[in-house]
């Protein structure tokens, strides 16, 4: 690689990095606290996620609904590859929809997954995600490391 090309590549890389940092919708810095997976499993059952989903630890409920919607959670999927995508698929299911799955979308193209945003507390969601996270082959997730900010010394102490 000649010098000019190297400089261009470096310039592009820096521009790309700067662009990432500036995206106001960037997920950088997003971190949920550690959840309780056992409690999450209980929440999964309490919220009736098993009405539509199969999970290796919780079988799907038998119902007429199960004949129409039966979506397996966990494993290695193309749609849920990161922790962020897992959280998004719980709180914003229409964001990334598995259109090829029967029963996944309604006539208007929205996800048929019911929304829990008005009934689930953040703590319940954190535990639920901790439970589901174990069953997905997710990319390694790093908790955000917050820098220790310099604090001016308080006079007189
Ligand atoms: C009424 C049926 C229904 C219920 C109840 C339901 N879901 Fe879903 N869920 C779906 C459908 C349909 C999809 C696939 C289409 C989509 O992404 O919206 C889906 C997708 C998902 C996905 C992404 C799946 C993947 O691997 O691609 C996750 C994670 C998920 N749901 C979690 C939950 C959790 C947690 C609950 C309970 C709080 C729940 N769902 C309750 C219907 C449901």
């Amino acid at each position: 690689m000649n010098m000019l090309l190297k400089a261009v590549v470096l310039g592009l890389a820096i521009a790309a990095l700067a662009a990432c940092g500036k995206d106001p919708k960037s997920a950088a810095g997003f971190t949920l606290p550690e959840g309780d997976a056992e409690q999450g499993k209980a929440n999964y059952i309490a919220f009736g996620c098993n009405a539509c989903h199969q999970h290796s630890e919780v079988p799907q409920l038998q119902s007429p609904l199960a004949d129409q919607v039966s979506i397996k959670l966990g494993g290695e999927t193309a749609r849920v590859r990161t922790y962020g995508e897992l959280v998004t698929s719980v709180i914003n299911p229409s964001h990334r929809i598995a259109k090829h799955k029967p029963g996944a979308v309604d006539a208007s193209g929205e996800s048929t997954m019911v929304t829990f945003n008005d009934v689930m507390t953040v703590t319940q969601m954190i535990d639920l995600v901790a439970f589901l996270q174990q069953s997905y082959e997710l990319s390694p997730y790093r908790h955000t490391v917050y820098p220790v900010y310099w604090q001016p010394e308080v006079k007189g102490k």
Side-chain angles (χ1 to χ4, degrees):
M1 230 194 273
N2 67 33
M3 284 301 282
L4 181 64
L5 189 58
K6 270 189 194 160
V8 170
V9 169
L10 186 68
L12 284 176
I14 291 171
L17 277 178
C20 287
K22 281 198 188 123
D23 179 357
K25 285 200 158 187
S26 161
F30 172 80
T31 299
L32 291 178
E34 294 286 347
D36 175 344
E38 267 309 303
Q39 182 58 47
K41 184 176 173 180
N43 296 351
Y44 180 87
I45 296 165
F47 280 108
C49 309
N50 51 343
C52 300
H53 292 291
Q54 310 160 33
H55 185 279
S56 56
E57 288 183 38
V58 186
Q60 185 165 1
L61 290 173
Q62 298 297 316
S63 77
L65 182 64
D67 298 335
Q68 292 162 30
V69 188
S70 178
I71 289 167
K72 186 177 161 284
L73 297 188
E76 207 176 332
T77 75
R79 294 176 356 94
V80 177
R81 267 168 289 151
T82 64
Y83 187 81
E85 286 171 345
L86 175 58
V87 177
T88 302
S89 58
V90 177
I91 59 181
N92 188 4
S94 288
H95 180 64
R96 303 184 81 219
I97 292 182
K99 292 212 164 75
H100 57 280
K101 289 183 182 161
V105 279
D106 63 17
S108 60
E110 292 293 301
S111 168
T112 53
M113 176 157 156
V114 285
T115 172
F116 297 90
N117 297 1
D118 294 330
V119 288
M120 196 187 295
T121 67
V122 176
T123 303
Q124 286 168 326
M125 185 194 68
I126 292 167
D127 293 341
L128 188 57
V129 167
F131 165 63
L132 291 176
Q133 192 184 2
Q134 299 174 331
S135 44
Y136 275 96
E137 307 274 327
L138 299 180
S139 312
Y141 172 68
R142 279 193 306 139
H143 278 268
T144 312
V145 179
Y146 293 101
V148 179
Y149 291 104
W150 174 82
Q151 288 183 321
E153 276 179 40
V154 182
K155 286 217 172 104
K157 276 202 173 178

